[in-house]
Amino acid sequence: MLRKAKRIVVKVGSQLLAGREGLNREFIESLCSQIAEVREKGIEVVLVSSGAVLAGIKALKLKRKPFSLAEKQALSAVGQPYLMAEYRKAFQKFGVETGQVLLTAEDLRSKERFHNAKNTFGALFKLGVIPIVNENDTLSTEEIRIGDNDNLSAHVSVLVDADLLIILTTSPGVFDKNPERYPDARLIPVIEDIKEALEKCDFSTQSTYGTGGMATKIEAAAKAAKKGIPVIIAGGREERVIERILKGERLGTLVMPSKKLKAKGYRILYLMKPVGKLFIDEGAEEALVKNGKSLLSKGVKRTEGEFKKGDAVEVYGLNGELIGKGIVRCSKEELERSKLCIHRDDFVLLKEMEQK
Ligand code: GLU
């Protein structure tokens, strides 16, 4: 599976990139040489890199912390060019050009912009350029923020149809509990079922000092895995880690791909923000859950929030249980007059399939 990868996404976090006096040049050089090497073998690579805010703090020699959101946005504006300059310098040693792609959640939510971004990546690959992606922190207001680059890297993997996502971090992989606190913590080599792993293990306290710690890495891995993309969470400081993973060496934690969501399902589930809630009766629930049918308006008993045609909503049973998420074919006002509320093609079932 891993040895056959033709297109991969590599994500590196701020902690790996932090040096004593700014960005860690040695790490960046090693990372770029590995990526250049991998590329020589005909594998296309996208690099998702954090470190803009960090580079901004270092460039301005700021000590004070924490920073407000507006300050962080300003700091990323200062730091992003520093970050790119470092990558450019390091990649140029191998004759590789880089391209900067800054994304917001908005770019991924809308179908048109998603395709537009996809085309841009396609063109960058054709030109032999390594795309270096970060969230457009400077312009991302709370509303349109993805918030962490782990989740961003999952979305980018889906966007470019990657065969593998490698999330590099300061920890050698995912442990069943916090290894700093518990000496008997074990590294989990393979996660087959994220849901089960989440029940058995405690990821929340496994900090990697980055924005989201281990929790957002698991969250991101779960998303990519649902789209059929395997994910490896591994130690970024391990010698030639990327090449070794691609050679099939067991490093870090492999999160196995699970169900294969279609691109539309992924967008509905993970990219579109639900703006309303629909509460449906038993008949409608049965049609959705057991019979794989669409949701008709007459089955909707109550709504919350304002929605218009094309918006994403959450669908609940009358007992308040979340059934799924979908895109409505009519606005709240039109609901009574229109027959179809959510077409099956625009619906993702979240409730476990019940036994018939
Ligand atoms: N986009 C942020 C930065 O470049 C990092 C977000 C994260 O660490 O996940 O500083």
Side-chain angles (χ1 to χ4, degrees):
M1 181 169 65
L2 307 185
R3 267 177 289 187
K4 285 197 194 124
K6 282 269 157 273
R7 184 175 286 178
I8 66 168
V9 172
V10 176
K11 186 259 166 180
V12 287
S14 300
Q15 280 307 307
L16 287 172
L17 292 162
R20 235 173 275 141
E21 297 288 321
L23 292 163
N24 184 340
R25 255 189 210 143
E26 216 178 296
F27 175 79
I28 291 182
E29 276 168 17
S30 151
L31 176 72
C32 295
S33 87
Q34 290 185 64
I35 293 176
E37 182 83 33
V38 165
R39 204 174 144 278
E40 276 295 298
K41 299 197 177 96
I43 298 170
E44 288 167 331
V45 187
V46 178
L47 177 60
V48 175
S49 176
S50 307
V53 174
L54 170 93
I57 294 172
K58 304 266 181 183
L60 297 175
K61 300 190 173 56
L62 300 180
K63 288 260 150 34
R64 185 177 51 87
K65 261 188 189 173
F67 299 101
S68 68
L69 179 61
E71 282 168 334
K72 279 198 216 152
Q73 292 185 292
L75 288 170
S76 74
V78 176
Q80 183 66 24
Y82 275 90
L83 186 64
M84 283 306 291
E86 287 295 339
Y87 279 126
R88 184 159 174 262
K89 205 160 72 194
F91 273 121
Q92 273 189 336
K93 285 193 190 141
F94 306 95
V96 177
E97 279 301 337
T98 53
Q100 169 183 273
V101 184
L102 300 178
L103 294 168
T104 65
E106 202 74 334
D107 300 317
L108 303 167
R109 262 177 220 157
S110 120
K111 199 169 159 188
E112 288 72 32
R113 283 162 84 161
F114 187 90
H115 281 286
N116 197 7
K118 201 179 172 78
N119 290 339
T120 305
F121 277 102
L124 286 167
F125 289 135
K126 274 210 188 104
L127 291 167
V129 166
I130 305 248
I132 301 181
V133 184
N134 198 353
E135 179 152 20
N136 194 350
D137 294 315
T138 308
L139 296 178
S140 291
T141 55
E142 205 53 64
E143 262 296 287
I144 58 164
R145 273 183 99 207
I146 297 162
D148 68 86
N149 277 7
D150 295 319
N151 276 287
L152 175 66
S153 71
H155 301 332
V156 169
S157 304
V158 172
L159 183 70
V160 303
D161 289 320
D163 305 309
L164 173 67
L165 165 61
I166 301 176
I167 298 180
L168 295 178
T169 175
T170 46
S171 162
V174 183
F175 288 80
D176 57 348
K177 48 192 164 188
N178 187 347
E180 280 153 35
R181 225 183 281 167
Y182 303 95
D184 62 335
R186 280 182 316 112
L187 182 100
I188 312 171
V190 182
I191 297 179
E192 304 240 4
D193 183 339
I194 293 239
K195 218 170 140 207
E196 199 186 295
L198 280 168
E199 278 159 20
K200 285 195 198 144
C201 310
D202 178 16
F203 303 125
S204 59
T205 58
Q206 291 184 40
S207 157
T208 55
Y209 307 102
T211 300
M214 200 48 90
T216 52
K217 290 177 181 48
I218 297 287
E219 198 180 290
K223 290 177 184 172
K226 272 248 176 65
K227 183 68 181 56
I229 302 170
V231 181
I232 291 199
I233 300 171
R237 296 196 184 113
E238 307 249 4
E239 191 73 23
R240 313 301 288 174
V241 59
I242 303 172
E243 293 165 58
R244 283 162 66 196
I245 288 171
L246 292 174
K247 276 191 190 131
E249 195 177 322
R250 281 292 178 93
L251 281 173
T253 301
L254 167 65
V255 181
M256 296 290 281
S258 54
K259 272 195 221 108
K260 214 165 168 323
L261 266 179
K262 297 219 173 80
K264 192 194 239 174
Y266 187 91
R267 201 170 64 247
I268 293 172
L269 213 49
Y270 299 129
L271 297 171
M272 293 182 80
K273 238 189 175 161
V275 296
K277 293 180 178 176
L278 307 180
F279 295 85
I280 63 172
D281 66 19
E282 267 175 37
E285 181 171 342
E286 188 166 322
L288 273 177
V289 178
K290 294 195 182 156
N291 307 330
K293 296 261 172 63
S294 297
L295 174 66
L296 302 181
S297 300
K298 64 173 195 259
V300 180
K301 293 296 155 213
R302 192 161 68 79
T303 65
E304 269 177 29
E306 294 296 324
F307 51 87
K308 52 185 194 321
K309 187 177 173 197
D311 280 343
V313 295
E314 285 174 337
V315 179
Y316 290 85
L318 287 181
N319 59 2
E321 190 187 2
L322 181 64
I323 298 172
K325 228 177 131 181
I327 303 173
V328 283
R329 291 273 167 118
C330 57
S331 69
K332 186 177 164 180
E333 291 69 34
E334 288 160 350
L335 197 60
E336 271 182 25
R337 273 177 285 128
S338 60
K339 194 164 178 264
L340 180 67
C341 181
I342 298 178
H343 191 278
R344 187 68 206 190
D345 292 349
D346 301 334
F347 181 77
V348 181
L349 184 69
L350 289 170
K351 188 176 162 166
E352 220 67 81
M353 283 289 278
E354 284 168 13
Q355 293 297 313
K356 276 192 192 175

